[in-house]
Amino acid sequence: MGMFDQTAREACKLDAVPFFDWLWRRFDPPPLLEFERWDDTRRRPQPGGPDRTDDLVAVLRRPDAPEQRTWMIVEAETEPERFIFHRLGMYGVLLSVALSQAPGPVVVPPGGTVRLHLSG
C-alpha cells in the first residue's frame, strides 16, 4: 500500500460528508444516500482462514427512509491493480455474508463499491 493510498483513506475518514457529497455529484441523478458512520471493517474469518479487514466501509442512510442502511466499500489506489475487481467483488460478497448473519430476520442489506484511482 502506497503513501498516497493511505493518505486518501485517511482524508475520506476525516471528511466523510464532503467526500460523499463530492462523489454523489458525479452521478446523474445523485443517489439519495447520506453518510452515517464508518463501519468496523474487521470481519470474522472463516475457520482456519486469515483475518480479514476491508479498507473502508461506510454506512449510508436514505434521508427519506432513515431506517434503511447501505454499506459502501471505498477503495483508493495509486497504481492499477490487475485483479482489483476480483478483490472488490470478494470484499462485497464477504461483507454481504457477514451483514446477513446478524441476529433477527434474514435481510441482505444493499451494498456497493467505490474505487478511487488516484492518477495524479
Side-chain angles (χ1 to χ4, degrees):
M1 174 184 350
M3 174 179 57
F4 295 111
D5 300 17
Q6 292 173 334
T7 303
R9 283 185 197 79
E10 194 59 29
C12 291
K13 280 182 154 180
L14 291 175
D15 266 343
V17 172
F19 167 72
F20 281 102
D21 287 345
W22 168 82
L23 180 67
W24 298 151
R25 286 194 304 269
R26 271 111 189 100
F27 292 84
D28 186 26
L32 293 174
L33 294 171
E34 295 177 344
F35 177 80
E36 181 177 292
R37 63 183 165 82
W38 291 109
D39 191 23
D40 179 0
T41 61
R42 294 167 292 181
R43 303 285 170 225
R44 186 175 64 207
Q46 296 297 322
D51 288 338
R52 303 203 67 88
T53 302
D54 298 331
D55 292 324
L56 290 176
V57 178
V59 179
L60 309 167
R61 70 176 176 282
R62 291 179 54 111
D64 61 337
E67 69 284 352
Q68 294 180 6
R69 303 289 186 278
T70 298
W71 276 254
M72 184 71 63
I73 298 168
V74 178
E75 174 68 22
E77 64 176 5
T78 52
E79 298 294 327
E81 184 181 321
R82 183 172 180 196
F83 296 108
I84 186 68
F85 296 112
H86 298 86
R87 185 166 60 85
L88 292 176
M90 290 301 296
Y91 275 3
V93 168
L94 294 170
L95 177 61
S96 178
V97 168
L99 295 172
S100 299
Q101 293 175 347
V106 177
V107 175
V108 179
T113 303
V114 172
R115 177 181 161 245
L116 298 174
H117 184 76
L118 308 171
S119 61

